[in-house]
Amino acid sequence: MQDKQRKTRKMNIKPITDPSRPKVYIETYGCQMNMNDSEVILSILQDAGYALTEDIGQADVILANTCSIRDNAEQRIWGRIDQFRLQKRRRDGVIIGIVGCMAERLKEKLLDGHTVDLVAGPDAYRSLPDLIRQISPDKPQINVLLSHEETYADISPVRMDRNGVSAYISIMRGCNNVCSYCVVPYTRGAERSRDPQSIVREAVELFENGYREVCLLGQNVDSYLWKHPDSADKNVNFAQLLEMVAKVSPDLRVRFSTSYPKDISDEVIYTMAMYENICRHIHLPVQSGSNTMLEKMRRKYNREWYLEKVGKIRSVMPDCGISTDVIAGFCGETEQDHKDTVSLMEAVGFDSAFMFQYSERPGTLAARKYPDDVPPEVKTARLNEIIALQNRLSLESNTKEVGKRHKVLIEGTSKRNEEEFTGRTSNNKVCVFAAPGHKPGDYVEVEVLSCTSATLIAKLI
C-alpha cells in the first residue's frame, strides 16, 4: 500500500492543465505557509477533477488564499473581491472563494456582499470539493472549523513554483505562543506536528523529481515535536527531523523557517553545523529590542537572552546568516524603546530584515488590553529609520563577502539580464552571475566581485 501511495504522490507533483476539466484559479497572499497551503488546495482539487489555470478569465472557480497578519494584507483582499465581482458579472456560474487566515478570522462577514460563494479556513481544505458542489446562487458555503489533528500529511502538494528547484514542505501547523499582537493562534489553531516519515517521503519525492532545495515550514519550527504513539523514546524533535531530511541526499539543500527565539535549541544549532547541506541561515524574529515591549508583546524572552542566543549561533557557525522581523510603533512604545531596537539591530548586525509598522488586529490580546497610541506619523518616522539602518547593515554584511567563494544553487535567470543566473549562498545571500553551460538546479562555485545592499555580484570559478 505504501508503494502505491508513493507512486500516486509522484504523479500529482505537477499541475494538470487538461482543457476538458473545469478550471481553478488561485491567488496567494501572505507567508510561505500560505504558498504551501495553495499547493495542498490544488492537489485536493486536482484529485476532484479540476485543472489549474493562470487566466482568471477562464476560471470556473476563483480562490484567494489569504493572510490576516496585518490590516493592509486584508485591505488588498477586499480590493480583489471587487475585481472578482466583475468576473461573476461577465460569466454565469463563476464561483468566488476566500480561504485561509482571513476566512478564519472574518467568517460569515465575507458573505455579506453576495460576491463570495465560499469561505474555508486553513483546516477545511479537504472539504473544498464538497463545498463547491453544494454552492447555488442562494446557498453559499462555509467551513471554518479548526482542528487539533489536521496536518495534511498524506497529501502530496502540487508544486506551483516556477523554477522546479526549490520547494516548501510544511512540517507543522498552528502556534501555541499567543504573542499579544498576533492572530495566528486564532486563525491557524494550536500546534500539531506531522509524522516525520511523511516529511522525509515528501523530501525524497521532491529530490527524485529534480528539486535540489527544500524549506521546512512552520509558524514555529523549533517547537516541532512528533510524539510516537507507542514509545516516548521514539519521539522526534526538530533537530532530529533536520538530520533526517539532510540525510535524504548531500545534494539536497535544507532550509527552514520560522524560528522562535525562546525555542531554538543548541541541538538545532549543532545539527546545522554537522551537515554541509543544512543551510547556514536562521530567521530569528526579534520584533523589538526593548525589554518593556518584549514583555508587553508576550515574547517570553528579553533582549539579553536574545543577544546571548545570537552569540551562541555565531560561536558555532561564524558564517551563519541571521535575519529578523521588527515591529515599529507597538502599543506604548517610547522613544527610548525605539532606541533600544535600533541599538540591538546595530549589536547583531542583521543580514536582512522584514520591518513593519504595528497594525492592531481585532481579537488579539493587544487589541483588547493595550491602546494603539503611537501616532501614525511617529510610527512612520521610526519605521523609516529602521529601514535605513537595515539597508546600511545589509550593505556592510554583503561587503564582507567580496572576495569570498561560495557554493550556489542556481534557481533561475536574473530578472534584469536573461544571460545571467541567480541563486543563493548557504547563508541566504542572493547572487547574480554568468554561468554558460549551466542550468537551474546545478550547483556552481562563484567568487564575489562586488555587491549592493540586496545582491552579491559574482563570477563563476
Side-chain angles (χ1 to χ4, degrees), residues 18-186:
D18 185 344
S20 67
R21 289 183 170 214
K23 307 295 187 300
V24 59
Y25 172 88
I26 304 175
E27 287 187 0
T28 306
Y29 299 84
C31 66
Q32 298 164 328
M33 289 289 292
N34 282 28
M35 296 171 70
N36 186 248
D37 277 4
S38 289
E39 295 177 334
V40 170
I41 290 168
L42 181 55
S43 179
I44 291 168
L45 291 179
Q46 277 194 176
D47 286 348
Y50 290 83
L52 179 69
T53 180
E54 296 184 356
D55 182 357
I56 192 172
Q58 299 296 318
D60 301 285
V61 177
I62 299 171
L63 298 179
N65 188 4
T66 60
C67 174
S68 278
I69 293 297
R70 285 172 291 278
D71 180 65
N72 61 357
E74 287 193 358
Q75 294 308 316
R76 289 178 65 195
I77 306 302
W78 286 117
R80 288 302 289 159
I81 290 174
D82 289 338
Q83 295 299 311
F84 296 158
R85 184 180 292 115
L86 297 178
Q87 296 297 323
K88 297 192 76 166
R89 289 175 180 171
R90 292 169 183 164
R91 295 179 292 124
D92 291 336
V94 174
I95 291 172
I96 308 297
I98 303 298
V99 302
C101 294
M102 186 172 170
E104 189 66 43
R105 195 183 79 77
L106 294 178
K107 302 179 174 61
E108 291 87 352
K109 293 179 182 179
L110 288 163
L111 302 175
D112 290 346
H114 304 290
T115 297
V116 176
D117 306 292
L118 168 67
V119 176
D123 291 346
Y125 299 148
R126 292 181 193 270
S127 68
L128 283 172
D130 288 337
L131 293 173
I132 292 170
R133 280 192 290 269
Q134 294 169 26
I135 290 170
S136 63
D138 59 347
K139 192 178 179 183
Q141 298 294 310
I142 183 169
N143 184 349
V144 289
L145 295 176
L146 287 175
S147 169
H148 291 286
E149 299 175 353
E150 179 63 82
T151 64
Y152 301 110
D154 60 318
I155 295 174
S156 177
V158 174
R159 303 300 166 176
M160 299 170 68
D161 60 89
R162 296 183 182 275
N163 65 16
V165 174
S166 304
Y168 299 119
I169 299 178
S170 176
I171 66 169
M172 61 182 298
R173 302 180 72 83
C175 184
N176 290 347
N177 283 309
V178 197
C179 298
S180 65
Y181 55 83
C182 186
V183 298
V184 168
Y186 310 104

Side-chain angles (χ1 to χ4, degrees), residues 183-222:
V183 298
V184 168
Y186 310 104
T187 60
R188 286 189 173 268
E191 289 176 358
R192 59 271 194 203
S193 299
R194 276 180 66 180
D195 183 327
Q197 295 303 325
S198 74
I199 296 167
V200 172
R201 285 197 302 270
E202 190 170 332
V204 169
E205 171 191 85
L206 287 163
F207 185 76
E208 290 176 348
N209 279 273
Y211 287 82
R212 291 297 175 262
E213 181 178 279
V214 295
C215 182
L216 308 181
L217 295 179
Q219 260 73 42
N220 178 11
V221 292
D222 299 297

